[in-house]
Amino acid sequence: MNLPRYKDYEGDFLDAMATRFGFTGKNSLIFEKRFLEDNREVTHEKLVANPKFAEKLIEGTDGDASRIFRQQLAAICKKLEAAGCPPSTGDGRWANAKCWLREVIFPQWAKEQGLVADAPVTLHPWEKLLKLATPTDKMGPKLAGVLDMGSDYQECFPLGSHIIFEVKLETPAYLLLLDKGTSGTFYCLCPSGYAPQPYLRAGVAVLPQPVSVKESFTITGDVGLEQLVAVIGKDKPSLNWLPEGSGNTLQLQEGHLNELVEYLEANRDCKVLYMEYTVTA
């Protein structure tokens, strides 16, 4: 919750609190004078020493301004305590009530007045990446070792399935293929040991590539949604973390994904595609 600055709304807030708690006449004057932030360090005596203020306090009475001020301030604090302010005693009683008003009641009042801005939503970099991507049917998984009769990509696979992945390229391109597994872990599938050669000719690119020692991907982990994002561009992205295309598959961290999002926002000529499929038991 993003609160407005108290000092910008103090006058309106104190007026509203005087109305809410029924402080009228002299009580209203005392409440707003004593609880004003600028008077935090000012003593009761110094406040009452102001001739105009003192004159308003004793108007219609034979009493002295200091006594009236203290009596009515005690009544104000008692009313605030009855409304939920933690009780206190002594000269610090009003300061305790002032703190309660500012720390507890002001946020409530500000929200009621529509002055509270919603906290900005911080997206995970993968979610930012998905916002840059376009859903496509130009890439997707198929069962490995099955004769391809031009069938569509499958939308559902059971755990333990062996699959291949295809990407249809209209022109020669550099392919960066990222995967979010069902367990929430991110991997770079191309380039990797599955796809050591990220520069590809136009046509249908198949992963694992023929030059890889792997013949398929094995679906492991949990049931749920598997998400893949392909970044297709003419040139290799200028990302220091990009694998060389051999060895273990790189597990991506938020920093990797943030750098990729920043790169794509600055290089709009890259094509970013998205697809997903479901893993079942």
Side-chain angles (χ1 to χ4, degrees):
M1 182 168 64
N2 292 336
L3 287 174
R5 295 192 307 176
Y6 177 79
K7 67 179 183 179
D8 291 342
Y9 293 92
E10 182 181 43
D12 292 339
F13 173 64
L14 292 179
D15 286 344
M17 293 304 101
T19 300
R20 176 180 296 187
F21 294 111
F23 301 144
T24 59
K26 296 175 183 179
N27 278 4
S28 178
L29 291 173
I30 294 170
F31 172 73
E32 298 203 23
K33 182 72 71 173
R34 179 65 283 179
F35 285 76
L36 196 66
E37 188 68 23
D38 285 346
N39 291 336
R40 173 186 286 272
E41 304 299 330
V42 181
T43 63
H44 298 342
E45 290 73 17
K46 192 169 183 179
L47 287 177
V48 176
N50 183 298
K52 291 184 178 180
F53 183 53
E55 184 179 343
K56 291 179 180 178
L57 293 180
I58 63 175
E59 184 178 346
T61 73
D62 295 327
D64 68 88
S66 181
R67 179 179 59 79
I68 293 173
F69 181 89
R70 288 182 176 276
Q71 285 179 342
Q72 298 311 112
L73 181 59
I76 289 170
C77 291
K78 183 177 181 180
K79 195 160 191 176
L80 294 176
E81 289 167 1
C85 174
S88 182
T89 57
D91 288 340
R93 191 179 183 187
W94 71 270
N96 179 66
K98 174 179 172 55
C99 181
W100 174 73
L101 285 172
R102 178 165 180 170
E103 300 299 326
V104 178
I105 304 302
F106 177 70
Q108 298 173 5
W109 175 83
K111 190 172 182 179
E112 292 168 0
Q113 304 306 305
L115 302 175
V116 178
D118 292 333
V121 177
T122 303
L123 293 178
H124 188 281
W126 182 260
E127 298 300 323
K128 295 179 183 178
L129 188 59
L130 295 186
K131 284 183 172 292
L132 298 174
T134 301
T136 184
D137 59 0
K138 301 299 183 182
M139 65 179 190
K142 292 182 177 181
L143 281 172
V146 176
L147 181 63
D148 188 356
M149 302 296 290
S151 58
D152 293 335
Y153 300 124
Q154 291 185 223
E155 298 180 355
C156 186
F157 294 92
L159 281 169
S161 297
H162 298 281
I163 65 172
I164 60 171
F165 199 85
E166 292 184 353
V167 182
K168 296 176 182 177
L169 301 173
E170 297 177 355
T171 60
Y174 183 98
L175 174 66
L176 175 60
L177 184 64
L178 310 180
D179 170 74
K180 179 187 179 184
T182 54
S183 60
T185 306
F186 305 92
Y187 291 99
C188 178
L189 300 184
C190 180
S192 72
Y194 291 96
Q197 299 174 349
Y199 287 100
L200 304 171
R201 293 179 295 182
V204 179
V206 180
L207 282 71
Q209 294 174 341
V211 294
S212 170
V213 297
K214 308 287 188 179
E215 295 184 353
S216 65
F217 298 99
T218 303
I219 297 180
T220 59
D222 304 319
V223 298
L225 197 64
E226 192 95 6
Q227 299 177 316
L228 292 107
V229 169
V231 176
I232 301 170
K234 185 169 65 173
D235 302 310
K236 177 182 179 180
S238 54
L239 301 166
N240 293 332
W241 54 262
L242 277 177
E244 292 299 323
S246 60
N248 295 329
T249 304
L250 175 65
Q251 182 174 332
L252 300 170
Q253 307 301 321
E254 286 192 29
H256 298 129
L257 297 173
N258 271 323
E259 289 181 27
L260 175 58
V261 170
E262 291 174 4
Y263 173 83
L264 292 174
E265 289 176 341
N267 296 269
R268 294 292 184 172
D269 54 335
C270 290
K271 184 181 294 185
V272 187
L273 303 178
Y274 166 81
M275 68 82 52
E276 61 187 34
Y277 61 90
T278 302
V279 176
T280 62

